[in-house]
């Protein structure tokens, strides 16, 4: 059905129907409800461009990815987050614009987006501990929401994050309860806020159990399978090897498992492994019983909810920022067990 047919069905002019569907204020509430009900029944959708002209909005949300982190575009975590955010945009009549930019030009891109009114708001990805984008976006008046937090920041802002500190403190506590004392951390880049918070949770548990923090047991870099493999291979080759690993990503945990098996050891018996599980669509942590013991939080749900928070901020610019912290679920899988006795350990 087109606009002309819908107008004839309602006995209204095309102008009135268009204005009712596109948010013009001069249409009465009764007429608007009648038109919207008929459009829904007939599966008619107004032009996004027309609606944008009526509301003065672009009806688009920007995702700006610096060149130094363009790998995020192929990261399954980013993919699931974008899928969740996209669900929210589609449901609310918004489009998504992805831009990969040179790092030195990032601030100009944000300013240009604002000046051209190309988007109504932006999602900030991969926040660093002292991320300058918070101050920049606040200064230029661009609505934004952050996937994560920024530790060294005093400005108010909308964000959604998982409780990374608590999750990794809980994971480390669990290993101590199993009798482990030499616990390694395979973390993400610790200039990133989430990785900083995960290490702080790990270290807090060590201190609570009276165990000295040993930098030799910690590795941090891009969360790849190779990072997990090479880190675990090197650490397991030491005379005082760790009996357990905590990984910031399921991807790096797979590399740790490869290194364990390469040495002829059994994960969950000889060496325990806990990971963070983002519940990825294409990288599942087993079936009903998880392979890895994990701190678990759906990144797709995070994308959906953060997009909702951003759209709320756009609709209600005078409301205070929304701050959402999600608690992780702790699930026990096959990858953990009691700390082995030295005569059983084999290294």
């Amino acid at each position: 059905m087109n606009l002309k047919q819908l107008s004839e069905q309602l006995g209204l002019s095309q102008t009135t129907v268009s204005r009712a569907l596109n948010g013009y204020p001069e249409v009465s509430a009764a007429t608007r409800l009648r038109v919207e009900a008929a459009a829904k029944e007939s599966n008619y959708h107004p032009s996004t461009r027309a609606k944008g002209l009526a509301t003065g909005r672009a009806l688009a949300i920007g995702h700006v990815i610096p060149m130094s982190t363009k790998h995020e575009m192929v990261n399954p975590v980013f993919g699931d987050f974008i899928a969740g955010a996209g669900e929210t945009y589609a449901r609310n009549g918004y489009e998504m614009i992805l831009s990969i930019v040179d790092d030195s030009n990032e601030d100009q891109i944000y300013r240009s987006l604002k000046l051209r009114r190309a988007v109504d708001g932006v999602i900030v990805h991969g926040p660093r501990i002292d991320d300058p984008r918070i101050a920049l976006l606040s200064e230029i008046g661009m609505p934004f929401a952050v996937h994560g937090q920024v530790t060294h920041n005093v400005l108010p802002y909308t964000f959604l994050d998982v409780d990374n500190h608590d999750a990794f403190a809980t994971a480390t506590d669990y290993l101590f309860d199993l009798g482990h004392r030499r616990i390694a951390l395979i973390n993400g880049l610790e200039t990133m806020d989430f990785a900083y918070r995960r290490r702080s949770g790990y270290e807090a548990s060590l201190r609570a159990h009276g165990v000295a923090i040993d930098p030799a047991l910690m590795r941090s870099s891009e969360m790849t399978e190779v990072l997990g493999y090479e880190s675990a291979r090197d650490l397991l080759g030491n005379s005082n090897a760790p009996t357990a690993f905590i990984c910031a990503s399921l991807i790096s945990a797979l590399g740790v498992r490869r290194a364990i098996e390469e040495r002829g050891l059994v994960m969950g018996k000889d060496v325990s492994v806990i990971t963070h599980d983002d519940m990825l669509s294409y990288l599942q942590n087993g079936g009903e019983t998880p392979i890895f013991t994990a701190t678990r939080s759906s990144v797709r749900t995070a994308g959906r909810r953060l997009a909702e928070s951003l759209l709320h901020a756009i609709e209600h610019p005078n409301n205070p920022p929304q701050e959402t912290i999600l608690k992780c679920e702790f699930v026990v899988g096959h990858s953990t067990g009691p700390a082995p006795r030295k005569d059983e350990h084999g290294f």
Side-chain angles (χ1 to χ4, degrees):
M1 174 174 287
N2 59 32
L3 178 61
K4 180 181 179 182
Q5 291 169 327
L6 180 62
S7 302
E8 291 174 349
Q9 175 182 313
L10 288 165
L12 298 171
S13 70
Q14 293 184 46
T15 300
T16 298
V17 172
S18 177
R19 288 176 178 271
L21 291 173
N22 289 306
Y24 281 82
E26 60 266 32
V27 179
S28 70
T31 299
R32 188 187 315 281
L33 290 174
R34 180 182 166 217
V35 171
E36 288 175 348
K40 183 177 180 181
E41 183 179 344
S42 303
N43 198 30
Y44 173 80
H45 300 282
S47 162
T48 299
R49 178 175 175 81
K51 187 175 180 181
L53 290 171
T55 60
R57 292 181 180 160
L59 295 178
I61 300 298
H63 295 254
V64 178
I65 312 299
M67 287 291 291
S68 63
T69 58
K70 65 181 182 297
H71 57 273
E72 287 190 19
M73 298 288 287
V74 295
N75 188 314
V77 175
F78 180 81
D80 263 36
F81 179 89
I82 286 294
E87 291 173 13
T88 296
Y89 301 151
R91 189 170 63 250
N92 289 276
Y94 278 74
E95 296 180 352
M96 176 168 37
I97 296 177
L98 296 177
S99 300
I100 300 179
V101 303
D102 186 277
D103 290 54
S104 63
N105 197 37
E106 188 176 4
D107 61 341
Q108 284 88 353
I109 293 298
Y110 284 120
R111 292 181 188 278
S112 175
L113 289 172
K114 173 65 176 178
L115 184 64
R116 294 184 292 111
R117 298 182 179 179
V119 298
D120 299 309
V122 295
I123 296 284
V124 174
H125 294 275
R128 301 179 290 280
I129 299 171
D130 54 355
D131 203 301
R133 290 174 290 180
I134 307 304
L136 169 65
L137 292 167
S138 299
E139 174 199 334
I140 65 177
M142 171 71 83
F144 69 96
V146 182
H147 184 206
Q149 297 180 68
V150 179
T151 297
H152 299 157
N153 170 74
V154 295
L155 297 171
Y157 63 102
T158 291
F159 71 83
L160 180 145
D161 198 9
V162 298
D163 193 338
N164 288 296
H165 179 282
D166 182 72
F168 272 54
T170 297
T172 312
D173 288 345
Y174 181 77
L175 290 170
F176 275 116
D177 289 344
L178 290 174
H180 296 275
R181 303 286 289 181
R182 294 280 291 171
I183 303 170
L185 174 67
I186 311 301
N187 204 3
L189 288 165
E190 291 182 355
T191 54
M192 310 300 286
D193 202 89
F194 80 90
Y196 166 78
R197 292 174 184 270
R198 290 178 184 182
R199 177 167 60 82
S200 68
Y202 161 81
E203 291 180 346
S205 177
L206 294 179
R207 287 192 292 269
H209 289 87
V211 173
I213 295 171
D214 184 357
L217 289 176
M218 291 184 273
R219 300 286 189 275
S220 66
S221 188
E222 292 289 348
M223 296 181 294
T224 63
E225 194 272 351
V226 172
L227 169 68
Y229 168 72
E230 292 181 347
S231 299
R233 179 197 61 193
D234 295 345
L235 289 168
L236 291 173
N238 295 335
S239 57
N240 192 18
T243 63
F245 290 82
I246 299 178
C247 300
S249 164
L250 184 61
I251 298 170
S252 52
L254 293 173
V256 171
R257 181 173 69 174
R258 177 159 68 102
I260 291 170
E261 293 173 348
E262 189 176 85
R263 292 187 66 84
L265 303 172
V266 178
M267 183 175 72
K269 178 178 180 293
D270 301 308
V271 183
S272 290
V273 180
I274 296 180
T275 187
H276 181 72
D277 176 17
D278 286 297
M279 302 175 67
L280 302 176
S281 301
Y282 295 100
L283 188 60
Q284 295 288 320
N285 181 17
E288 292 185 4
T289 302
I291 297 170
F292 290 96
T293 296
T295 59
R296 172 180 287 176
S297 182
S298 168
V299 73
R300 187 168 188 141
T301 298
R304 188 162 51 243
R305 292 187 58 178
L306 187 60
E308 290 168 356
S309 293
L310 178 55
L311 296 187
H312 179 84
I314 293 168
E315 291 286 342
H316 307 281
N318 296 321
N319 284 10
Q322 294 185 1
E323 301 178 352
T324 306
I325 298 179
L326 305 176
K327 288 291 185 182
C328 290
E329 178 187 8
F330 189 77
V331 295
V332 178
H334 298 299
S335 66
T336 50
R341 296 192 302 272
K342 284 192 175 181
D343 60 351
E344 295 176 337
H345 208 263
F347 52 83

